[in-house]
Amino acid sequence: MKKLFMDPRRLRYFLTVAEELNFTRAAERLHIAQPPLSQQIRALEDELGAMLFERTSRRVGLTDAGERLRELAGPWLAEASRIAAEVRQTALGEQGALTIGLAGTVPLNPRFQALVRAHAARCPRVTLTMLDMHTTEQLQSLADGRIDVAFLRSATVPVQPGIAIERWHTDPLWLVVPAAHPWATRASLALAECRSERFVSFPASAGTGVRDALAQLCAGRGFLPNIVQEATDAMTQIGLVAAGLGLAVLPAPWEHLNLPGVRYLRLSDPDARVHICLATREEGRDARVGQFLHTARHLPDGEERAAAGEGSMNRQSPSLPRHS
């Protein structure tokens, strides 16, 4: 049996002639001369072994075979175009899925929210799956291929074999105090004033940059933080602060949640900051990761003032409980 190749170009030529029922007008629409168009139609008829048009000196009409091809060719070409587009989009990283590891407060950061919006606009057919992870888990998951991108919290840019890490954003650190604390009415204070205070923080095993930043900041001021309670997530830490068990140092985005029972004070120390670092595997990056990195690297980093709390809520007034 003769094999059919069904050249899409010939099918488009055929459909144009079938619409116009006039070779001259069809050739004009296709921006080709009439003789080559006629040759392509004859070649298609030879391939199919069927006459597609009835040609007379006065008119051109479709045969039954031509009418059937017209019914079938349109959907076939549309599906072929869709497949070709999906293959191109996949090759360009504009389709598929990305798994992203996030330090807990990163989704609250305005710049990260802007990145998600920008990437969705640029690559609407890429699905993002977000996983909440501490730093050590993120790095291991990157190395194992379980996630494609990680947003780490770190006081410095860490070095990890096989992992490319770059500083992406910087957030100020805030002090979280109980609403009944004598400092609750203050807008800011220096970390050195907390020398005798008790702290709530992340476990050392979590490898989170916030605990490392707290340790480095306190050491630079001649004392070690008295960490009396540990919790693996910031929300639990804030609850422990509200219960009066200690103070917490957390990235600025948390203060926008306005949780009851606590107040947020700006640390006046210029170095009271923690970075968001963007991490990927050095090898095996595909186009999806490349597209995401391009968007992340070209996103303006103009959110520091908002993250620092300028124009935010009044942290000295009582917080209203939120109802679900």
Side-chain angles (χ1 to χ4, degrees), residues 132 134 202-203 231-238 250 254:
D132 186 4
H134 289 303
F202 296 94
T232 57
D233 65 273
M235 190 70 77
T236 300
Q237 292 179 36
I238 294 173
L250 292 172
W254 275 109

Side-chain angles (χ1 to χ4, degrees), residues 169-286:
H169 184 77
T170 300
D171 275 327
L173 289 170
W174 288 73
L175 185 69
V176 188
V177 304
H181 196 282
W183 292 343
T185 58
R186 295 180 60 174
S188 66
L189 82 166
L191 186 62
E193 298 180 61
C194 303
R195 182 183 302 271
S196 301
E197 295 291 327
R198 299 180 301 171
F199 285 91
V200 177
S201 191
F202 296 94
S205 60
T208 175
V210 175
R211 174 159 178 153
D212 293 341
L214 175 61
Q216 292 176 22
L217 288 166
C218 292
R221 286 145 184 85
F223 71 99
L224 296 177
N226 180 21
I227 298 175
V228 296
Q229 297 286 336
E230 295 181 337
T232 57
D233 65 273
M235 190 70 77
T236 300
Q237 292 179 36
I238 294 173
L240 294 175
V241 171
L245 299 184
L247 313 183
V249 171
L250 292 172
W254 275 109
E255 61 98 11
H256 295 297
L257 293 184
N258 195 13
L259 296 171
V262 297
R263 299 291 182 269
Y264 301 84
L265 283 66
R266 181 175 58 84
L267 288 171
S268 59
D269 308 76
D271 56 343
R273 293 179 172 273
V274 67
H275 308 302
I276 299 176
C277 294
L278 182 58
T280 58
R281 288 182 295 278
E282 289 182 338
E283 297 182 357
R285 291 180 184 171
D286 60 21

Side-chain angles (χ1 to χ4, degrees), residues 48-107:
L48 294 173
M51 292 293 295
L52 301 175
F53 294 100
E54 294 176 337
R55 303 170 180 84
T56 68
S57 58
R58 295 184 177 182
R59 63 181 296 273
V60 174
L62 285 167
T63 64
D64 289 343
E67 183 64 34
R68 185 57 177 157
L69 180 60
R70 186 188 64 80
E71 294 171 357
L72 297 174
W76 187 88
L77 279 176
E79 179 65 9
S81 296
R82 184 191 67 80
I83 291 172
E86 290 204 11
V87 170
R88 285 194 298 270
Q89 289 172 346
T90 301
L92 294 172
E94 297 174 353
Q95 179 168 289
L98 276 177
T99 303
I100 300 174
L102 300 174
T105 54
V106 170

Side-chain angles (χ1 to χ4, degrees), residues 115-197:
L115 168 58
V116 172
R117 289 193 298 270
H119 189 263
R122 181 176 179 178
C123 301
R125 297 176 68 87
V126 174
T127 301
L128 302 181
T129 299
M130 313 286 187
L131 301 178
D132 186 4
M133 296 177 168
H134 289 303
T135 301
T136 51
E137 186 181 2
Q138 286 177 298
L139 293 173
Q140 188 60 54
S141 297
L142 266 179
D144 294 344
R146 286 177 286 161
I147 62 175
D148 303 297
V149 181
F151 285 86
L152 316 171
R153 281 284 188 194
S154 180
T156 59
V157 178
V159 176
Q160 186 78 9
I163 305 296
I165 302 177
E166 59 192 83
R167 185 182 299 177
W168 184 71
H169 184 77
T170 300
D171 275 327
L173 289 170
W174 288 73
L175 185 69
V176 188
V177 304
H181 196 282
W183 292 343
T185 58
R186 295 180 60 174
S188 66
L189 82 166
L191 186 62
E193 298 180 61
C194 303
R195 182 183 302 271
S196 301
E197 295 291 327

